[in-house]
Structure formats: C-alpha cells, structure tokens
Amino acid sequence: MKMVARVLIVEDNAANLELMSYLLEAFGYKTTHARNGREALEIMARDLPDLVLCDIQMPEVDGFEVVRQAKSSEAMRKIVMVAVTAFAMVGDREKMLAAGFDGYISKPIQPEQFIPQIEAYLPVEQRSKVFRSEETQVGTEPLPFHGKVILIVDNMQTHLDLACSIFEYGGYTVLTARNPERALELCKDTTPCLIMSDVCMPQSNGYDLITAVKSDPKLKDVPFIFLTSTAQTEAERRKGLELGAVKYIFRPIEPDDLLAEVEACLKS
C-alpha cells in the first residue's frame, strides 16, 4: 500500500516556500525543500520524490533546465513535475508543458485551492487522508456545503489561510478578520455559528473580543474558541475559559483534530 506522496518544493522565495510547506504538511504530506535548481536535481536523483513543485525563475539552474535534466534521466523521468510560477503571459502554460512539466500552477498561491490543485496530479492512494476515510474518499472534492459560517480572527495571514483551507474543506463558509474590531464589524451583518480567535494581537486582543461578544445579546450564545501559539500558560487558559470560551486550544494542532474540536462544539 502506497503512503501519502513525498513532495519536493523547489523555490528560492522564502515566503512562498513557507506557505507551500505549511499547507502541504498540514494535510499530511512529507516535504523536502530546495532553494535552487542544482540542489533540486541532487535531491531528485537521491530521493526520487513522488511530486516536484518547481519554480521557474531561479539563479544558476532555472526550472526549465531542472525539468530538462530530470526528464532525460532514466531514473527521474517518471517523477511528476509541476511548474509553480508567476509567469502569466499568453502561451506560458503551453511553454511549460512543452518543456516537460506535467502541469502548471500560477502564483500567487491560493491556499484554499492549493491542495486540490496538487492532488489532481497524484494517484488516489497518494493523496492526503485528512478529513477523508478510505470509504468516503472521492478525488479532491470538499465535503458538501452545509451553510454554517465560522469567523476566524488572527493577525497572521498564514494562520487565516490555513484555517480557510481546513474549514472550507470541511464544508463551512469562513469569514476572516485580522483584528477584533474587524471581527465585530463582520458580526453586524452575519451571525457566525462559531468564533475562533487568537489571543495576542496588536493593539487589541482576544480577551477584549470575547468580552464584547458575550456582552452582545445577538452573539452571546455563539460558541467561542481560543487558538493560540503564544498565550499557553495555565493562567491564560483559565482566564479564557472564565471569560466564556468553550475551548482554549494550543498550537500546533493537527488539522483533522482542529476540525473535530469545532464539530464537537457545534454538536453540544
């Protein structure tokens, strides 16, 4: 039985590399990294990954040379290679395929679409099992939309992107806010079924937000969860629960565990 795919990310931009790694690893994929084409070819020859996500514009050895050498190698030619690039000119996709790439994903990466995009190039047995059992796995389709809205509040865009990937995949509509003030504005138009917030944010914080939420008659019964990687003392946890949070969760947490925590709150 094959395991989940091993993915090599070839990317010289640190932010792009971090985002792709974060999303892939959150969905259970094993990743390795290369910051240039020469290093990528060494890793490919040694490890024979299942999938390579390759930037095009890199110093010394660019993506076109990487795919040319890989596809001319008896050992590496069967590795699935997908170009990930900011090129957006007419004909660029055809150029990528003609060079030997098996597919093409454009930048900037769209976190909510990224996992389904890469899974389109993988056999079913190598796709992520997160949120899908062997009996219910049906390609790359998310679970059916069930009309529930979750509000995520966090000043880190990477955290918001990952939350969107997790909960939209689970069938929820996700609203995001970078601060408590924006979160309260969103709640004027839409009452979410659940609010999940970080604790430490610039200017305001999650404790201020939950205080405002619990004092609002329209929102006071909405389940509120704290999710934090910084305020992780027992005193902080007690404070959050005393203010009315139903759960106080420490990062890191596996995506399927986080989804289960939310679903438990909504069923109670």
Side-chain angles (χ1 to χ4, degrees), residues 27 112 115-116 119 128 130-132 139-144 163-172 259:
F27 279 82
E112 66 278 7
I115 297 301
E119 287 188 334
S128 170
V130 176
F131 313 139
R132 288 174 286 171
T140 62
E141 291 299 315
L143 299 177
C164 286
S165 297
I166 293 171
F167 294 115
E168 288 177 355
Y169 200 93
Y172 297 90
L259 185 63

Side-chain angles (χ1 to χ4, degrees), residues 64 87 91-101:
F64 289 120
F87 284 7
D92 277 336
R93 181 178 184 277
E94 290 71 20
K95 184 178 180 181
M96 305 297 170
L97 298 179
F101 284 104

Side-chain angles (χ1 to χ4, degrees), residues 183-253:
L184 294 171
E185 288 179 10
L186 291 172
C187 288
K188 291 178 183 178
D189 298 321
T190 303
T191 301
C193 69
L194 181 138
I195 299 171
M196 179 179 291
S197 176
D198 194 6
V199 176
C200 301
M201 291 175 279
Q203 298 178 331
S204 189
N205 60 61
Y207 297 142
D208 294 334
L209 175 60
I210 193 172
T211 299
V213 165
K214 295 304 177 183
S215 65
D216 186 328
K218 188 179 77 167
L219 301 175
K220 65 183 180 66
D221 294 324
V222 174
F224 194 109
I225 294 176
F226 281 114
L227 178 64
T228 178
S229 55
T230 51
Q232 296 195 341
T233 66
E234 180 59 24
E236 296 276 12
R237 189 187 72 83
R238 282 199 307 269
K239 180 177 180 179
L241 296 176
E242 289 169 358
L243 287 171
V246 293
K247 290 183 182 291
Y248 194 105
I249 301 171
F250 299 154
R251 289 191 182 97
I253 179 172

Side-chain angles (χ1 to χ4, degrees), residues 1-5 50 123-129 132-135 137:
M1 180 178 177
K2 289 189 176 181
M3 302 294 289
V4 68
D50 301 298
V124 171
E125 65 270 19
Q126 289 188 334
R127 294 173 186 167
S128 170
K129 301 301 187 294
R132 288 174 286 171
S133 68
E134 293 293 339
E135 292 74 25
Q137 192 175 42

Side-chain angles (χ1 to χ4, degrees), residues 55-71:
D55 189 19
I56 295 298
Q57 293 180 304
M58 294 181 291
E60 298 183 28
V61 178
D62 66 12
F64 289 120
E65 181 61 17
V66 172
V67 74
R68 186 193 70 77
Q69 292 193 34
K71 295 301 182 179

Side-chain angles (χ1 to χ4, degrees), residues 8-14 16-17 20 33-44 52-69 81-87 96 101 107:
L8 169 61
I9 305 170
V10 189
E11 173 62 70
D12 65 339
N13 180 283
N16 290 334
L17 177 61
M20 287 190 282
H33 309 147
R35 299 297 292 268
N36 58 67
R38 194 180 310 282
E39 183 182 0
L41 288 166
E42 292 174 359
I43 293 172
M44 291 170 68
V52 175
L53 302 176
C54 189
D55 189 19
I56 295 298
Q57 293 180 304
M58 294 181 291
E60 298 183 28
V61 178
D62 66 12
F64 289 120
E65 181 61 17
V66 172
V67 74
R68 186 193 70 77
Q69 292 193 34
M81 297 189 65
V82 177
V84 183
T85 176
F87 284 7
M96 305 297 170
F101 284 104
K107 294 176 182 175

